[in-house]
Amino acid sequence: MTEPASSTLDSRYGRTARSRRPLIIGLVAVIAVAGLGWLLWAAVVGSNPPVTSRLLAFKIVSDTQVTATVQVDRTKSVEATCRVQAKAADFSIVGELTLTVPADSPRNQSLPATLTTQRTATSVVLIGCTTADSQRPH
């Protein structure tokens, strides 16, 4: 009997019958574990910001003035900076105010804000609050 052509070619060119499948599976598993670890880390860090804020109320006082109330909650006693904008009917920014919350103030508080506007505002938008460590508004 003669040998099959594939085994003759394998012996002639020194190929072995080993497969690359375990190497590929191992590499995919390592990448998947690393990706899952990064996803969990990002979820934990992103879900616990040092400061959060929300706009409780606003009132259009006059053609050139708007008042707002902003609630600021901090997990640590750090200084926070909050930005509030007044917008006109065409969505252009007609007034802006930056509020600073000192580190030694209460962690949970409501802050009054009075914005001077260039023309009549129709809404107030809270951009968010940041700290020195977290520059993304929350």
Side-chain angles (χ1 to χ4, degrees):
M1 285 198 138
T2 61
E3 290 184 59
S6 63
S7 65
T8 305
L9 290 174
D10 288 344
S11 63
R12 180 183 296 168
Y13 294 107
R15 290 187 289 195
T16 60
R18 290 192 326 183
S19 172
R20 290 186 183 175
R21 182 175 288 175
L23 176 65
I24 293 172
I25 291 173
L27 186 61
V28 168
V30 166
I31 291 171
V33 167
L36 185 61
W38 175 83
L39 182 65
L40 290 173
W41 173 81
V44 169
V45 170
S47 66
N48 297 317
V51 62
T52 58
S53 58
R54 66 183 182 142
L55 182 65
L56 295 179
F58 71 89
K59 182 179 179 183
I60 311 298
V61 177
S62 69
D63 287 345
T64 59
Q65 193 175 36
V66 177
T67 60
T69 305
V70 177
Q71 180 179 350
V72 179
D73 300 320
R74 297 173 295 156
T75 56
K76 299 184 278 186
S77 292
V78 294
E79 183 176 285
T81 304
C82 305
R83 264 183 48 209
V84 182
Q85 291 179 341
K87 295 195 175 189
D90 63 353
F91 302 107
S92 61
I93 299 169
V94 294
E96 187 169 4
L97 180 67
T98 301
L99 301 169
T100 302
V101 183
D104 59 351
S105 65
R107 287 190 182 177
N108 303 319
Q109 59 184 314
S110 294
L111 301 172
T114 301
L115 289 85
T116 302
T117 61
Q118 297 169 347
R119 56 188 167 118
T120 305
T122 57
S123 65
V124 174
V125 178
L126 173 66
I127 302 302
C129 296
T130 60
T131 63
D133 294 337
S134 174
Q135 295 299 315
R136 194 178 79 174
H138 291 282

